[in-house]
Amino acid sequence: MTSAIPLSFPDITDAEIQAVVRTLRSGRLSIGQEQEEFERLVALRAHRSYGIAVNSGTSALHLTLLALGIGPGDEVITPAFSFVASANCVEYVGAKPVFVDCDPRTLNMKTSEVDRKITEKTKAIIGVEVFGNPSGMDQLAALSTKYEIPLIEDACEALGGRVGNEPVGAFGRIAVFGFYPNKQITTGEGGMIVTDDDHIADICRSLRNHGRPSETMEAGSGMGSWLDHQQLGFNYRMSEIAAALGVAQMRRLDELIDARQTIAEAYTRRLMGNPELIIPSVEPNTHMSWFVYVVRLSDHFTPDDRDEIIAGLRRHELGTSNYFPPIPLMNYYRRKYGFGVDDFPIAHSVGGRTIALPFFSRMTEREVDLVCQTLELMMTRVRFVRD
Ligand SMILES: *Cc1c(COP(=O)(O)O)cnc(C)c1O
């Protein structure tokens, strides 16, 4: 008899519950001190001057591109292997996503290919720390400086990580976090923009709130009128309820990250001897903040084998997923730009063989063991049926 093990599970304690209840009782449910405190804590962690809380990581990316003035006719470099939001935001502003294939080890964008794809139309580079691995972000930052093209660090999967002494969120002109329930910390739904650029911070603060002049904008300043004339605002605000949850989670960030690290190490210990599996690798000098634990099947397995293994694990009530199908090969992008599998050979090959295993801070070693045992059983079964 097995009990269900989900793919992810948020780590909510009494501290979070009390923070939310306190906020509900306070009568102040939007634009208040919880938001301010949450922004302060995240900005501090990322060594940034400003944090701007919004209602999702995707909204944060959208505002970031608008604040940089990116629109039709512009190109934005973005990973082929990532969560779809890191490309969709480029479509929202009418610019063209220029996809870059991934490095087969780190799964992050190949820096050399980013360099090759920069043109005079390139207005930004979106760098993603895929699965929480920040390696290569320093190289993207160097490239961004060399060409004077702003780097947007999509750090939605990597809060709490580091490259050397530099925290995730400190690279590039702007960084963005997301707080969906499967991330390192959650606000239910939510996101945050962090930056040192006060002009960009002001624009983002205004755009999340219908384009109203933000509290820090001086009346009659040039920017106020720029917004009046050019900018359509949104309601991308985060509620005080969500922000209170975020504050309580931020206070536990190190505890949450350490717990995730322990689970990741248990998986690695258990699976590293299996020659048919490629397990996540962490580069020297980088401190990974584990978002998910994703293994790859060796090339003895086809994408159909992978899907069958996932189906088998799910039959055993083990939450698994195929993170990530390459974005340019998704229907919307394929139809619009006519990409084929040969355009992104690594993302295509990796994307056909990944399995995200159950991964959350409160997993037990026994659960890790059960997942690994079932995974290996399904791998054997698939090959036995086929051969
Ligand atoms: C989670 C995530 C986002 C933001 O997702 P939301 O659901 O909008 O909060 C953006 N980019 C990446 C790479 C992500 O993993």
Side-chain angles (χ1 to χ4, degrees), residues 56-58 61 82-83 85-86 128 154 156-157 178-180 183 189-190 291:
S56 78
T58 306
L61 284 169
S82 175
F83 179 60
S86 58
V128 177
D154 178 347
C156 285
E157 303 187 0
F179 310 116
Y180 185 74
K183 313 275 181 182
E189 297 282 359
F291 167 51

Side-chain angles (χ1 to χ4, degrees), residues 349-363:
S349 154
V350 169
R353 292 208 302 273
T354 50
I355 304 177
L357 299 174
F359 187 72
F360 45 94
S361 57
R362 293 190 201 169
M363 266 185 100

Side-chain angles (χ1 to χ4, degrees), residues 139-159:
Q139 290 164 29
L140 285 183
L143 212 58
S144 138
T145 307
K146 179 176 155 197
Y147 291 104
E148 297 183 2
I149 295 170
L151 171 66
I152 299 166
E153 183 188 358
D154 178 347
C156 285
E157 303 187 0
L159 177 64

Side-chain angles (χ1 to χ4, degrees), residues 262-274:
T262 303
I263 307 302
E265 282 166 4
Y267 267 125
T268 298
R269 258 198 319 278
R270 180 66 178 66
L271 294 174
M272 74 183 165
N274 190 325

Side-chain angles (χ1 to χ4, degrees), residues 1 18 59 63 73 77 90 92 96 125 146 164 175 190 204 207 226 229 250 272 275-276 300 327 336 338 376:
M1 196 187 72
Q18 278 164 24
S59 302
L63 294 192
I77 289 181
V90 182
Y92 295 164
K96 184 183 168 197
I125 300 167
K146 179 176 155 197
C204 291
L207 288 180
W226 179 78
H229 292 290
M250 267 314 277
M272 74 183 165
E276 299 296 344
H300 294 128
I327 300 170
K336 183 161 181 188
E376 288 179 331

